Amino acid sequence: MLRQAEQPTTMTARAWAVAASVLDPEVPVLTIEDLGVLRDVTVDADTVTVTITPTYSGCPAMDAIRDDLVLALTAAGFARVQVRLVLAPAWTTDWMTDAGRHKLREYGIAPPTGRRAVTGPIPLRLSVRCPRCGSLDTHELARFGSTSCKALFECRACLEPFDHFKAH
Ligand SMILES: [Zn+2]
């Protein structure tokens, strides 16, 4: 008996699910879907094409994400995997899902405040909330934290340093 070929939509949904499970190497509690890095997954014959947009230009994590996507999809039975890097439109922190923001806070990284919160003609510098005690009395210690995608902050209330995922 012949096995019926999978419907293209089912294939795409399965490929998306596999791609969406790939974790961000910098913040391993977040998937690339949580981050909004995963933009598109298409299946054409035996080729899966995954489109990703890097969070930050020069973010070294993109090479690791590309390798992980190829490994995960190959292991899931997709013979050919292509990863497309699309730089425009540029990634913004607004693409991060609410689940992603929540996980980021639980992981101890202040989530991006995002552009949505900025109103008025003059972009105000928003306070970054301490992920440990919730205080807004924080200040930036270094423009670059543990990676180029994060800045190092310090909380004046609990005196703990923490990483802030940069909004841009
Ligand atoms: Zn604090």
Side-chain angles (χ1 to χ4, degrees):
M1 193 173 146
L2 285 172
R3 230 187 76 207
Q4 211 157 9
E6 268 185 273
Q7 293 298 308
T9 47
T10 314
M11 290 279 280
T12 306
R14 200 159 64 80
W16 178 283
V18 173
S21 69
V22 168
L23 298 174
D24 176 65
E26 303 207 326
V27 190
V29 290
L30 292 184
T31 68
I32 58 172
E33 186 183 41
D34 290 333
L35 274 169
V37 162
L38 182 61
R39 304 311 298 162
D40 194 33
V41 178
T42 56
V43 180
D44 180 26
D46 63 343
T47 304
V48 185
T49 305
V50 181
T51 306
I52 57 172
T53 297
T55 52
Y56 193 71
S57 57
C59 202
M62 284 305 127
D63 287 340
I65 289 173
R66 191 200 313 254
D67 291 347
D68 287 351
L69 278 168
V70 172
L71 278 175
L73 286 159
T74 307
F78 293 96
R80 283 165 47 87
V81 182
Q82 281 184 338
V83 180
R84 281 176 63 225
L85 211 65
V86 172
L87 301 175
W91 181 86
T92 112
T93 39
D94 285 353
W95 293 358
M96 195 179 283
T97 64
D98 288 340
R101 285 164 207 274
H102 183 73
K103 283 192 229 171
L104 204 56
R105 199 175 298 116
E106 296 214 317
Y107 189 61
I109 296 177
T113 38
R115 290 173 179 163
R116 271 187 298 225
V118 181
T119 54
I122 303 157
L124 296 172
R125 196 183 160 77
L126 296 169
S127 300
V128 173
R129 191 180 290 278
C130 170
R132 290 190 179 79
C133 72
S135 171
L136 285 171
D137 190 10
T138 60
H139 64 116
E140 189 179 274
L141 282 181
R143 193 83 197 95
F144 296 100
S146 56
T147 71
S148 58
C149 312
K150 294 171 219 141
L152 185 64
F153 272 68
E154 187 185 58
C155 175
R156 289 196 179 93
C158 70
L159 303 175
E160 286 289 334
F162 61 91
D163 276 339
H164 170 55
F165 203 96
K166 277 184 227 167
H168 56 93

